[in-house]
Amino acid sequence: MPEPYVPKEAIGHGDGGSAALAIGEAESLERRPGAAPPGAGPPGAPVGKPRSLWSDAWHDLCRNPVFVLSALVIVFLAVIAIWPQLIATGNPYRADLAKAQQGSQPGHPFGFDTQGRDVYTRVVYGARASITVGVCATTGAALLGSLLGGLAGFFGGWGDTLLSRLADIFFGIPVILGGLVFLSMVTSTTVWPVVGFIVLLGWPQISRIARGSVVTAKQNDYVQAARALGAGNRRLLLRHIAPNAVAPVIVVATIALGTFIALEATLSYLGAGLKPPTVSWGIDISTASPYIRSAPHMLLWPAGALSITVLAFILLGDAVRDALDPKLR
């Protein structure tokens, strides 16, 4: 009968060694004679390191079909937003009144709008404005909210109280009403006024998430140990707290990106967002809404593109949340 496997670290360590020795003997009874010890792996194989949170999350995301599908859709939208000429060779501003409101034709699969402009070309070019507003507004809101919320959660005191009350004020402003009032005073036809407004009203939500994450992270033992060893506030924030508190911010920002795209389209539909000659899905939906019965194709195609884009970002955010949240494992 083969000798039972006894871990070396279990020998000569008092009670702890006895307990480990008993565990080793129990494992040896369940193992076939000649089998390798647990965790030893094949002969000559290097001992693998445990995966970090990020590598483990990426491993889960790559096996999630929802994430893969939504990521492919988002990559496709990003490519056509940067290079719309790849799939649309026409001019989104070219009008032919003789073809106004006509349906699908060879070379024009989505038909024409009220001014005889190709709907397919305008749908493709409209992705640029929506993606630009969503990405820039999300980046600005995430950076501003993370900075203010992280500093307030780390230092606390009167700054934390002031930020909380300021966030409450912004939470009390109706988004659509605030956009109508703020953007109605802007005459610019670029996307930046809309981006600035969304950042102005979008940072409080992310700041609260960042504050809560920092407050939770700074109470961990490794942060207290680093502080006891003499680490300064800057090192604590950048090396120990920020990497462990950024995951919830990424999840909220990813989901908010789709919401911001929908908000831009809503404001453009109401006439307060992007303005002509900018090509936008919201503008085209607003133009086509009175003709929903006579020419439904004018409304359905840009509305469908908008819905698919928002849904892709929301599903991507849900998948990232499931991968980064340890409670859901």
Side-chain angles (χ1 to χ4, degrees):
M1 180 176 180
E3 293 294 328
Y5 168 73
V6 180
K8 294 182 178 179
E9 63 270 17
I11 301 176
H13 289 281
D15 295 337
S18 300
L21 178 59
I23 295 174
E25 291 176 345
E27 292 175 347
S28 66
L29 294 176
E30 298 177 356
R31 192 169 57 253
R32 296 190 305 270
V47 179
K49 296 182 179 179
R51 292 197 300 258
S52 64
L53 171 65
W54 299 103
S55 60
D56 196 25
W58 177 251
H59 182 263
D60 292 342
L61 288 174
C62 291
R63 297 186 302 172
N64 189 343
V66 175
F67 171 80
V68 174
L69 180 60
S70 58
L72 290 176
V73 172
I74 291 172
V75 170
F76 173 74
L77 291 171
V79 170
I80 66 172
I82 299 174
W83 299 290
Q85 300 86 357
L86 293 177
I87 61 173
T89 57
N91 187 341
Y93 302 104
R94 182 179 179 180
D96 186 358
L97 292 178
K99 299 180 179 180
Q101 301 186 28
Q102 293 184 9
S104 176
Q105 297 181 5
H108 307 278
F110 293 177
F112 300 88
D113 63 2
T114 56
Q115 300 183 26
R117 297 173 297 190
D118 184 26
V119 175
Y120 170 77
T121 304
R122 292 187 63 83
V123 168
V124 173
Y125 276 81
R128 173 177 295 178
S130 297
I131 297 297
T132 301
V133 170
V135 172
C136 293
T138 303
T139 302
L143 292 177
L144 181 60
S146 299
L147 179 63
L148 296 179
L151 294 178
F154 182 78
F155 292 104
W158 64 269
D160 187 14
T161 303
L162 178 62
L163 178 70
S164 299
R165 301 292 78 78
L166 183 62
D168 290 338
I169 294 175
F170 280 96
F171 275 122
I173 300 176
V175 178
I176 301 301
L177 180 60
L180 292 175
V181 174
F182 177 80
L183 295 176
S184 62
M185 300 181 295
V186 179
T187 58
S188 175
T189 58
T190 63
V191 301
W192 303 117
V194 180
V195 171
F197 169 75
I198 295 177
V199 171
L200 184 64
L201 293 186
W203 70 266
Q205 179 185 9
I206 297 181
S207 70
R208 285 194 171 183
I209 300 297
R211 176 190 175 278
S213 299
V214 170
V215 169
T216 302
K218 76 175 184 179
Q219 297 174 356
N220 293 328
D221 293 338
Y222 62 86
V223 176
Q224 302 300 327
R227 188 187 298 274
L229 292 174
N233 291 334
R234 180 178 179 181
R235 182 177 181 83
L236 288 176
L237 275 172
L238 298 180
R239 291 291 302 274
H240 301 286
I241 295 180
N244 296 281
V246 72
V249 175
I250 293 177
V251 173
V252 174
T254 306
I255 298 176
L257 202 156
T259 306
F260 292 161
I261 292 177
L263 177 59
E264 175 273 319
T266 302
L267 293 174
S268 299
Y269 174 82
L270 297 175
L274 300 179
K275 299 175 177 60
T278 303
V279 181
S280 167
W281 291 332
I283 295 176
D284 288 349
I285 292 173
S286 177
T287 303
S289 58
Y291 307 95
I292 181 62
R293 293 186 177 181
S294 60
H297 65 276
M298 295 168 45
L299 175 65
L300 295 179
W301 290 113
L306 175 64
S307 300
I308 292 174
T309 303
V310 174
L311 180 62
F313 279 106
I314 292 178
L315 292 178
L316 182 72
D318 289 341
V320 173
R321 180 199 59 196
D322 295 342
L324 292 179
D325 191 352
K327 297 179 182 179
L328 299 177
R329 295 185 180 276

